[in-house]
Every structure is written in C-alpha cells, then in structure tokens.
Amino acid sequence: MSHDVHVEARSEEEYKYNRRKASQAMRNQVTVFAIMIFLTFVAFATVQAGFSAFLVVPLILLFAGVQVALQLYYFMHLSEKGTGIMQFFMYSGMIVAFTMILAFVTIIWW
Amino acid sequence: MNLKSKFTPQSWPEHPELSTAEGKNKVVGFWIFLGGETVLFATLFATFLALKNKGPSGMEFTTQNLFELPLAFIMTMLLLTSSLTSVYAMYHMKNYNFKGMQAWLAITVLLGLGFLGLEIYEFTHYVHEGFTFSQSAFGSSFYTLVGTHGLHVVIGLAWIVLLMVRNAGRGLNLYNAPKYFIASLYWHFIDVVWVFIFTVVYLMGVIK
C-alpha cells in the first residue's frame, strides 16, 4: 500500500475553477433530487388514482428504474470518468439479480 | 507526503477519496460488495414476490388490507432526503470543509433515525394485528426483505456515527476521506434498495 502520495498544490486560478465546477455539480445534484421527488410523487399518485394495474405496474417500475439510475450515476458518481470497473461489477450483480427474480416470478409457483 | 498530513482547501486534491492507492482499492472493493448486495436483495425480492399473500387457508392478511401508503410515502421522503444530505456532506468533504461535512452527516443520521422509528412503528403495528414473522410464508418473506433493509439502515447509521465520533478531533485527511466516501456510497445504496421496496412491496401491494 503506497504511503507516498503526490499531491500537486493547485494554483489560485485552478482552485477557484475547481470550486466553481464543484458548486455547479452540486446544483445538478439538487436538480436530480428534484426529479426523484417528482417521480416518487407521480408514482404514488398513479397508484392512488386507481388506474388499471396493466398501466400502473409497468409505469411505476419504469419510474423506479429511472430513480435508481439517477441515484447510481449522479449521487454515487458512476457518471464520472474511470468508473468502468465499478460499473462492471455492479452490472454483473444486476444481471444475476434480474435472472433470479425472473425465475421466481415465472417458473416457480405454489 | 504522509497520509495524515494536514491540508488547506487549496492543497486538498480534487478527488481525495481516489488520490491514494488505499482509497482507490477501497472504492473499487466497495462496488464489488455492492454488486453482491444487489444479488442478496434480489433473492429476498424474488422470495417475497413468490410468497406474496400466500399462507394458511383462510388467512386474512393480504398486502391490500395490510399496507398503508401514507406511512410508506413519509418513509420514502425521509430516506430520499437523507440521500441528498449525504451528497451535501460529500460536497463539503471535497471542499475540505470538515465542519460542513460533519453537520450534513448529522442531518443524514437524524433523517435515518426518523425512517427507522417509522419502520419499527409499522412492524409493531402489524405484529399487534397478528401478522407476525411465523404467521405465514407471506409474513416470513415480508419481514425478511424489509427487515434486512432495516438492518442495513441500522448498520449504515452506526457506521456514519462511528466515523463522525472517531474523526471529530482529527479533521479531514487522505486516510479518512475514502472512509467517509464509501460510508456515503453505502447510504445511497440503502436508498436504491428502498426505491424498489416501496415500488414492488408497497405500491404494487396496494394495487387491487
């Protein structure tokens, strides 16, 4: 494990630029949060409104998928560079997860 | 440069959690763990979906007459908001603002505690109605799925509180920045799982 860490001191200009970039990124995160809140509201509202299950179920599953994607790519920073290996492991987990759920809701019954 | 050396906001790296080999390994290793956690929760979701509303003949408990949406809605809002507050905490971590980070993490913990309190209330309410873990296959699968998520919330809260207490007098350095970062990843993952729980268990449960 390396204890030799080379940290380049940033110049004043670079520092200010990075700070501005970070606060812009934070504003984007708040926008993402607003979208997630909105999707949650719509999901609850469609269920409460009592539409047909054939319409509501795919819709709320889609909303859940979008919310999770936003959470993973923005809140958990997977949209940044150099996250390929992390995405590989996460997607591998998701493929196993999807297969398992598919099997349990289709070919297993009581 | 030593891992524990002091920084100024200007000398603090842009990605403190990835600027040491240890930090990089921690983050990648944690994503491998999260991939495994995804599979763990998938088994519990699959079991729940297969055993939903199944039990001894004449069982009165179904998702439709058991679940109450307003409660699930408040719990969802608490956890979603706590996810944003931990994003704020990591924003301050990257700006080398230790007090700001600790304050936002404290808010995260409070929201998490609120969520946990409501979940405990919900479970005790069901148990008083007679819907227990051993009452039916439905009961077992429900409590195992939602309870495992609740356990994750407990672990996440204990983890964040421990980090805050342990590093309170120490301030930020390249040794503990990755620790804070992966604790926040864990907290986001808890919210990811909850998004599916409120959709698949609660919302799909109350649809007639």
Side-chain angles (χ1 to χ4, degrees), chain B residues 2 4 17 21 25 28 46 49 62 68 76 85 88 101-102 105 119-120 122 140 162 182 190 198:
Chain B
N2 193 282
K4 297 194 177 147
E17 76 282 5
N25 289 341
V28 172
L49 286 170
T62 59
E68 277 167 38
T76 306
T85 58
Y88 268 109
M101 180 188 74
Q102 294 275 83
L105 284 178
E119 183 147 274
I120 291 168
E122 186 195 359
S140 307
L162 272 176
I182 59 169
I190 289 172
F198 95 75

Side-chain angles (χ1 to χ4, degrees), chain A residues 3 5 7 10-12 15 19 21-23 30 33 37 44 71 76 80 86 89-90 97 100 104 110, chain B residues 1 3 9-12 14-15 31-32 38 42-43 46 73 77 80 83 88 91 95 185 188 191-192:
Chain A
H3 284 260
V5 184
V7 176
R10 293 181 278 188
S11 71
E12 188 63 30
Y15 170 64
R19 274 301 270 261
K21 217 170 60 175
S23 77
V30 176
F33 175 72
I37 290 280
F44 272 92
Q71 185 91 232
M76 294 165 89
E80 288 170 15
M86 306 165 200
F89 285 114
M90 198 61 198
M100 192 139 41
F104 269 63
W110 274 268
Chain B
M1 192 179 289
L3 271 183
Q10 201 164 335
S11 68
W12 186 241
E14 207 187 336
H15 286 288
W31 275 102
I32 300 176
T38 308
T43 60
F73 183 74
M77 285 298 154
L80 199 56
S83 206
Y88 268 109
Y91 169 67
N95 282 345
L185 281 185
H188 291 310
D191 194 42
V192 165

